[in-house]
Amino acid sequence: MRAVIFGASGLLGRSVMRAFNDMTVTGTGFSRTAPGLARADATSADDIDRLLGRAQPDVVVNCVGERRPQRWAATPDQARDKNVDAARLLAQSTRQCGARLLHISTDYVFDGKAAPYRPDSPPNPLNAYGRWKLLAEHAVRAACPDAAILRLPVLYGPAQFAAETNLTELARQVGARAPVELDDVCVRYPTHTDEAAEVCRWLAGALVRGQRLGAVAHWSAEQGFTKYQMAVLIADRFGLPAGHIRPGEADAVSGDRPIDCRLDCRDLPEALGTVRRHFTTEFPPVVEPWLLPAEPISTLRKDFHAPCV
Ligand SMILES: NC(=O)c1ccc[n+]([C@@H]2O[C@H](COP(=O)([O-])OP(=O)(O)OC[C@H]3O[C@@H](n4cnc5c(N)ncnc54)[C@H](OP(=O)(O)O)[C@@H]3O)[C@@H](O)[C@H]2O)c1
């Protein structure tokens, strides 16, 4: 199988590259380059056509997007281009070259007031990112009707910089020991990028085999946590003080962050349950490099028991 992964330099794309490593795979970066990645601008039809013409893929995975709130606020036009225009152009080119498309979307298309959400639950995004991602879904559907759209919740995994994931940013705040208030109302379902990438792999295979799939699929980890709960868990696991972390409700009262977008994943096959990773066992190696203690962290607490949340 020949695959092209757009956004392969990003958080999810790096895991997807690893999960597809037994295929003939071309990955793209944009501002970040790495050995083996091609540079392509997903907002340029010429760039996309050139790359797909060269790679002749069976399947294209679109991991391009702009999900950082600071960027939506600072450069909304660029963020919209990356989320919506890129999705439309990629869908058009993928269809023209006869490949199948897997497009990545988000649980933020929902308002968080009526979880769990099935793939056909009515979307109602609360913020610009969610609205753009919903517009992107519509654009993908219009340009490439047989594409699969995979909605995912907040992701965590090996990060290149602390702010790359919510979780590693929380780790930095735990380690920094400066007073901080963290939302303790909105529930998130942090899902490991490698787990999401395995689901992408399964979906890509199913698309290429011509297996009938619903237009939209959901995948999510099962454990839900607020940011405050995650921070306390991190502190507890590494035996760090947590007195500087206070529970708050900033996200909930902002009005643009959904309270609980739990995704109902039952439409994907039960066999995929084997790719599940449990947050409480998977998060320590991901956060450890970002705790920024004065001295190295010696050992994990052996008496640590994750609370059931
Ligand atoms: N991270 C999450 O918590 C999360 C949750 C749910 C859904 N998602 C969705 O999952 C997808 C991947 O997210 P992510 O977290 O991996 O994002 P990310 O880490 O920010 O990566 C975004 C990728 O898009 C590339 N890109 C940006 N502008 C581009 C352009 N003009 N042309 C081509 N490529 C461009 C970036 O390349 P450079 O970095 O090289 O510029 C990078 O490879 C997105 O659709 C996102 O909405 C993410």
Side-chain angles (χ1 to χ4, degrees), residues 6-14 28-33 40-43 62-68 82-83 103-107 129 133 152-156 164:
F6 278 90
S9 55
L11 178 73
L12 176 62
R14 298 194 299 270
T28 77
F30 181 57
S31 60
R32 284 177 278 185
T33 49
D41 181 357
T43 63
N62 177 12
C63 298
V64 173
E66 182 51 80
R67 60 179 161 78
R68 283 163 287 188
K82 290 180 190 192
N83 286 311
H103 172 81
I104 306 300
S105 191
T106 170
D107 59 352
Y129 171 65
K133 295 298 283 187
L152 296 168
V154 67
L155 300 172
Y156 71 99
E164 194 172 25

Side-chain angles (χ1 to χ4, degrees), residues 182-187 226-229 246-251:
L182 295 171
D183 183 89
D184 193 26
V185 180
C186 297
V187 182
T226 65
K227 283 183 184 168
Y228 173 75
Q229 287 168 336
R246 289 188 317 282
E249 46 184 34
D251 289 353

Side-chain angles (χ1 to χ4, degrees), residues 275-298:
V275 309
R276 279 207 187 283
R277 289 159 175 254
H278 293 282
F279 181 76
T280 42
T281 50
E282 295 287 334
F283 82 81
V286 172
V287 302
E288 189 166 2
W290 307 105
L291 289 166
L292 297 178
E295 60 287 329
I297 296 155
S298 49

